[in-house]
Amino acid sequence: MSQAAPTPPEPTPAQKGRVPKTVWDLVFTLVIPILILSPNILGSGISVAEQVFGGGTTGNVRAYLLAALIPVAYVLWDLLVNRNVSPVALIGGAGAIFSGALAFWYVDGFWYAIKDSARSYLTGLLFLISAATSVPLFRVFLDASSIGESPEHRAATQRAMRDPAVHRGLVLGTVVFAVVDLIGGVVNSVVNYQRVTAKFGTDDFNAQVAAVNALMRVPGLIISLVGVFGAIWLVNRAVTARYGAGASLFEPGKLAERMRERGEPVA
């Protein structure tokens, strides 16, 4: 005799009031750094560089370093607390460490514009290089997204990604993701070069950096999403061409069904 599925428990008051992780990401990677860099926080006359670090070049440099390292510490703390050792998390952690190391490269003008986009340039180059290997990096991201699936569904996605036709789609998706990331880096460098014109270690430099960080947050996110969705579309197009309409790496149940219809083993 079949049984009805159990009703999920009502969320506790603590769960209902829990702040979404996206909000914390925004606070620690954008809001707090901008406040630290601001020479006049919200018009209050308060400046971290002045009141906390004593002002002058030394105070501004220390405030700049603090603003740059807080997002790095947040990413690494999140990685350690959640004990996430997936390839995607490890790549993110490595990128955070890279960004933290670059914070100690004291430059302005053209080289600051390059530095601020260095993570995008490095990511784009790594993805392009991986496209020439047997494991394009976009496959790593898709593989990580299937970790929570049932053994059968995960086997179906793994088998599909090993198929030569789908592999070509993964390679093309990886290249598209890389190119879009490089374009995003160039756009960010151009904006920084045009707007961050003050000398490093000054109040104006920190203020300009804060302004550009706020200005480029949404456009940078949009450019990244274009790369992700473009790559996903190319991969799913390859999967559909290989296994038929309805087959998708993001719907492993349908993918496994299409494989069985074609007389192919799922595992």
Side-chain angles (χ1 to χ4, degrees):
M1 189 174 181
S2 63
Q3 295 180 340
T7 303
E10 286 292 323
T12 63
Q15 290 174 323
K16 289 181 178 180
R18 186 176 181 181
V19 178
K21 184 177 180 302
T22 304
V23 174
W24 288 120
D25 291 346
L26 188 65
V27 167
F28 282 97
T29 64
L30 183 66
V31 176
I32 291 178
I34 286 176
L35 293 177
I36 291 172
L37 290 169
S38 174
N40 184 14
I41 299 176
L42 301 177
S44 65
I46 298 174
S47 164
V48 171
E50 183 72 30
Q51 270 74 36
V52 177
F53 295 121
T57 300
T58 300
N60 285 316
V61 170
R62 288 176 177 174
Y64 170 80
L65 287 175
L66 180 62
L69 294 177
I70 279 180
V72 177
Y74 170 72
V75 171
L76 295 179
W77 175 84
D78 185 56
L79 188 67
L80 292 173
V81 167
N82 293 323
R83 298 180 182 179
N84 190 348
V85 293
S86 70
V88 175
L90 293 177
I91 290 173
I97 293 173
F98 178 69
S99 297
L102 284 178
F104 294 92
W105 184 23
Y106 300 158
V107 289
D108 47 40
F110 173 80
W111 288 113
Y112 175 78
I114 297 298
K115 183 182 85 166
D116 197 62
S117 298
R119 187 170 176 176
S120 292
Y121 295 145
L122 179 62
T123 301
L125 288 175
L126 288 176
F127 269 73
L128 281 179
I129 293 170
S130 75
T133 71
S134 60
V135 186
L137 278 175
F138 198 71
R139 174 180 173 172
V140 175
F141 279 76
L142 294 179
D143 182 54
S145 70
S146 69
I147 289 176
E149 296 171 358
S150 67
E152 181 190 22
H153 289 174
R154 183 162 169 78
T157 58
Q158 291 293 308
R159 181 176 179 82
M161 287 193 288
R162 289 194 300 268
D163 182 86
V166 177
H167 177 78
R168 288 192 291 272
L170 287 166
V171 169
L172 187 55
T174 298
V175 170
V176 167
F177 180 87
V179 170
V180 172
D181 218 44
L182 291 171
I183 291 172
V186 171
V187 171
N188 186 67
S189 287
V190 170
V191 173
N192 272 279
Y193 184 68
Q194 291 177 339
R195 292 177 175 266
V196 183
T197 57
K199 184 176 176 58
F200 181 81
T202 62
D203 289 346
D204 287 343
F205 178 86
N206 283 6
Q208 290 169 1
V209 169
V212 171
N213 286 346
L215 174 67
M216 290 303 298
R217 185 64 173 222
V218 172
L221 178 61
I222 291 173
I223 292 173
S224 295
L225 290 177
V226 168
V228 171
F229 286 118
I232 288 174
W233 181 81
L234 288 168
V235 173
N236 268 335
R237 186 182 68 168
V239 172
T240 301
R242 173 65 177 82
Y243 295 104
S248 169
L249 292 179
F250 296 96
E251 295 183 80
K254 290 184 179 179
L255 177 60
E257 183 181 341
R258 295 295 180 270
M259 286 179 171
R260 285 191 289 267
E261 289 174 355
R262 299 171 71 91
E264 300 182 13
V266 173

